[in-house]
């Protein structure tokens, strides 16, 4: 099979790493890819959001299956365009991707189908939002309903903060159109996990749950980031909890999609919080999580390409999935200034050769001459398997200590506790 992976992050390198092992693979292209994916296939310059150009490339190269990493092309309708052209693609249509790209839509769907989630009210008018926030005693979360590059969620300690956040979004338009509508949401308390399912419209294949370390600094301090690392499996999701999630969240969500006549094909990502009242949905994403995917896929023993092939042809009920029993840990190395003011162009040294139990997934990297340099906020995801979480942790951090680039930032506490 000729395969095209769309995207350029650690998630896409991890997808390519898994796909490259498949006996079904003939040729792998990545658009645009990074220095890591270049070692596994052919990087193709281009912008994933330029749907017409991606489609044109896939047609020209007679790609058998296209796998979409990031949310933007999905929200822009890349799956619709491929389907209309008769090309196979793994990723939901624009209407289905609204589960991620329109938080008000997702919230309404959850409300209508009794999927546990935080209570929320929707506003486009700042005066009304301010009035509502001022009458609330409990802390709230203010969310831009559109796609805001992962920055559109403000967890507020008091009403004054929440009013400022609402003003930033509705009046100052700091997130542009994405914040022209907001949700003011009850703030939930608890620990979090990410649960991803591969869905073909009929069948859902659950992947092992993972934990995403969202805060920049040790001890879950500092600003929210795209994710500073991940652990798989999540210590919070045992088989009993998984059954509850399936019964109370996954099944009703898939049922809601069917009833709303939304054919969902792709990854359904549940961002969950475990509250004293049970698991609740914080958010849906319509794609593989980053950096969860790096830790999850290092444990996957099955053929990912076979699974994705089955998902795009409605045969997911015919495949099964098996896992390395060992846990895996991904430690993200980020650039100086991340997440606010990212500096790039630093030379990376000390990269280890990939092994069975340790892979350094590239994210924001590119090759310049015979050097690899930083090219984004999150640069590398050092991902290791170990007999225990502690063993995975030691293996990952031993590699981290060998790697250097100027200004590198990483957390030192991942996998502890
Ligand atoms: P999101 O961008 O939707 O993933 O949200 C980012 C983070 O904000 C989540 O991982 C949570 O830590 C936090 N968050 C979102 N919604 C809530 C909520 N209702 N209560 C508490 N924290 C939340
Ligand atoms: N790690 C969170 C996300 O992919 O959205």
């Amino acid at each position: 099979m000729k395969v095209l992976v769309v995207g350029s992050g650690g998630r896409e390198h991890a997808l390519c790493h898994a796909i490259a092992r498949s006996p079904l693979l003939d040729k792998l292209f990545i658009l645009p890819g990074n220095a890591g994916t270049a070692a596994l296939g052919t990087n193709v310059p281009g912008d994933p959001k330029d749907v017409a150009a991606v489609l044109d490339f896939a047609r020209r190269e007679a790609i058998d299956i296209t796998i979409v990493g990031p949310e933007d092309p999905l929200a822009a309708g890349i799956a619709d365009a491929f389907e209309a052209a008769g090309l196979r693609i793994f990723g939901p249509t624009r209407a289905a991707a609204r589960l991620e790209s329109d938080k008000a839509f997702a919230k309404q769907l959850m409300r209508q189908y009794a999927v546990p989630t935080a209570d929320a009210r929707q506003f486009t008018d700042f005066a009304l939002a301010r009035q509502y926030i001022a009458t609330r005693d409990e802390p709230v979360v203010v969310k831009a309903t559109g796609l805001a590059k992962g920055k559109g969620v403000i967890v507020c300690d008091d009403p004054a903060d929440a009013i400022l956040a609402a003003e930033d979004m509705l009046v100052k338009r700091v997130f542009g159109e994405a914040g022209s509508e907001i949700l003011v949401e009850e703030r939930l308390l608890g620990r979090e996990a990410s649960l991803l399912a591969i869905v073909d419209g009929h069948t859902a294949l659950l992947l092992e749950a993972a934990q995403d370390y969202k805060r920049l600094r040790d001890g879950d301090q500092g600003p929210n980031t795209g994710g500073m690392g991940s652990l798989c499996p999540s210590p919070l999701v045992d088989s009993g909890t998984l059954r509850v999630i399936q019964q109370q969240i996954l099944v009703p969500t898939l049922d809601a999609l069917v009833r709303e006549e939304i054919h969902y094909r792709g990854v359904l990502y549940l961002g969950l919080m475990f509250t004293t009242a049970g698991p609740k949905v914080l958010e849906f994403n319509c794609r593989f999580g980053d950096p969860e995917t790096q830790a999850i896929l290092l444990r996957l023993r099955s053929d990912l390409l076979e699974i994705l092939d089955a998902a795009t042809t409605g045969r997911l009920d015919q495949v099964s999935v098996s896992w390395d029993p060992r846990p895996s840990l991904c430690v993200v190395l980020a650039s100086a200034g991340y997440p606010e003011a990212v500096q790039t162009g630093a030379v990376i040294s000390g990269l280890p050769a990939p092994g069975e139990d340790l892979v350094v997934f590239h994210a924001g990297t590119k090759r310049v001459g015979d050097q690899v340099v930083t090219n984004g906020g999150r640069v590398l995801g050092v991902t290791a398997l170990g007999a225990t979480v502690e063993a995975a942790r030691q293996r990952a951090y031993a590699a981290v200590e060998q790697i250097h680039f100027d200004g590198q930032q990483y957390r030192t506490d991942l996998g502890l506790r």
Side-chain angles (χ1 to χ4, degrees):
M1 267 194 280
K2 285 172 104 177
V3 177
L4 171 64
V5 171
V6 177
S8 63
R11 161 185 53 208
E12 286 77 16
H13 188 191
L15 288 166
C16 290
H17 180 259
I19 289 167
R21 295 197 309 258
S22 171
L24 300 173
L25 180 71
D26 293 316
K27 201 155 171 27
L28 177 61
F29 296 93
I30 313 95
L31 188 154
N34 58 38
T37 63
L40 299 170
T42 306
N43 283 354
V44 181
D47 176 0
K49 291 196 296 294
D50 187 347
V51 170
V54 181
L55 178 60
D56 192 46
F57 175 81
R59 263 213 202 100
R60 219 168 42 227
E61 286 293 336
I63 299 292
D64 295 296
I65 176 169
T66 298
I67 297 151
V68 185
E71 61 276 19
D72 296 327
L74 294 166
I78 194 171
D80 309 68
F82 271 64
E83 270 173 34
L87 290 182
R88 274 205 287 147
I89 188 161
F90 181 75
T93 59
R94 179 193 211 140
R98 280 181 77 201
L99 275 188
E100 174 168 1
S101 66
D102 182 353
K103 289 184 195 289
F105 167 77
K107 190 61 82 176
Q108 246 158 341
L109 195 81
M110 285 189 272
R111 204 179 284 139
Q112 194 176 339
Y113 290 90
V115 177
T117 185
D119 285 335
R121 291 271 291 264
Q122 202 172 316
F123 295 96
T124 51
D125 182 80
F126 173 59
L128 292 177
R130 181 175 54 194
Q131 196 177 26
Y132 174 73
I133 293 166
T135 61
R136 304 266 317 184
D137 297 331
E138 307 292 321
V140 296
V141 179
V142 178
K143 298 185 173 182
T145 60
L147 290 179
K149 304 203 180 305
K151 293 182 181 158
V153 175
I154 313 290
V155 180
C156 305
D157 288 321
D158 57 54
D161 289 347
I163 289 169
L164 283 179
E167 187 174 20
D168 279 347
M169 293 183 198
L170 291 174
V171 182
K172 297 186 184 155
R173 293 293 169 99
V174 294
F175 301 122
E177 266 306 294
S180 61
E181 180 185 52
I182 63 168
L183 290 178
V184 178
E185 196 168 291
E186 159 200 24
R187 180 168 167 186
L188 302 174
L189 291 176
R191 294 175 71 193
E192 294 178 38
S194 309
L195 186 64
L196 282 62
I198 294 178
V199 179
D200 71 354
H202 315 280
T203 306
L205 191 84
L206 276 180
L207 303 183
E208 295 263 297
Q211 178 179 346
D212 174 12
Y213 297 92
K214 288 188 195 273
R215 298 294 196 99
L216 182 67
R217 283 189 271 283
D218 285 8
D220 293 328
Q221 302 296 309
N224 255 321
T225 70
M228 293 300 289
S230 57
L231 174 65
C232 179
S234 158
L236 302 179
V237 184
D238 57 19
S239 57
T241 311
L242 193 61
R243 262 197 306 279
V244 172
I245 298 168
Q246 278 181 289
Q247 282 166 7
Q248 296 183 1
I249 294 174
L250 187 64
V251 170
T253 301
L254 294 172
D255 183 49
L257 292 169
V258 170
R259 282 165 190 257
E260 297 296 316
E261 295 179 6
I262 297 169
H263 182 78
Y264 199 98
R265 187 192 44 229
V267 172
L268 178 62
Y269 167 130
L270 309 176
L272 301 169
M273 187 174 267
F274 297 94
T275 72
T276 50
K280 295 193 178 187
V281 176
L282 291 174
E283 59 161 347
F284 292 121
N285 290 323
C286 62
R287 50 171 176 81
F288 285 101
D290 189 337
E292 290 94 326
T293 301
Q294 290 85 314
I296 293 171
L297 291 186
L298 198 61
R299 296 188 54 225
L300 182 71
R301 282 192 170 155
S302 316
D303 181 339
L304 181 65
L305 186 52
E306 185 188 3
I307 294 171
L308 299 180
D309 182 39
T312 57
T313 48
R315 294 179 294 110
L316 212 46
D317 56 347
Q318 291 166 31
V319 297
S320 63
V321 56
S322 70
W323 301 97
D324 192 315
R326 295 173 299 167
S328 61
L329 182 75
C330 169
V331 181
V332 168
L333 273 60
S335 292
Y338 180 75
E340 273 95 23
V342 172
Q343 292 169 32
T344 59
V347 175
I348 303 168
S349 63
L351 286 170
E356 279 280 296
D357 297 340
L358 176 89
V359 183
V360 178
F361 293 117
H362 289 232
T365 69
K366 68 174 179 188
R367 193 165 272 286
V368 177
D370 51 9
Q371 289 183 318
V372 179
V373 303
T374 64
N375 188 38
R378 290 184 293 175
V379 176
L380 300 166
V382 180
T383 311
L385 289 162
T388 59
V389 173
E390 182 51 30
R393 179 184 145 73
Q394 282 180 17
R395 186 172 278 137
Y397 278 105
V400 166
E401 276 163 28
Q402 302 303 310
I403 300 170
H404 178 79
F405 57 89
D406 281 348
Q408 63 185 21
Q409 312 185 65
Y410 60 87
R411 282 179 58 163
T412 65
D413 65 339
L414 305 190
L416 286 180
R417 262 198 302 171

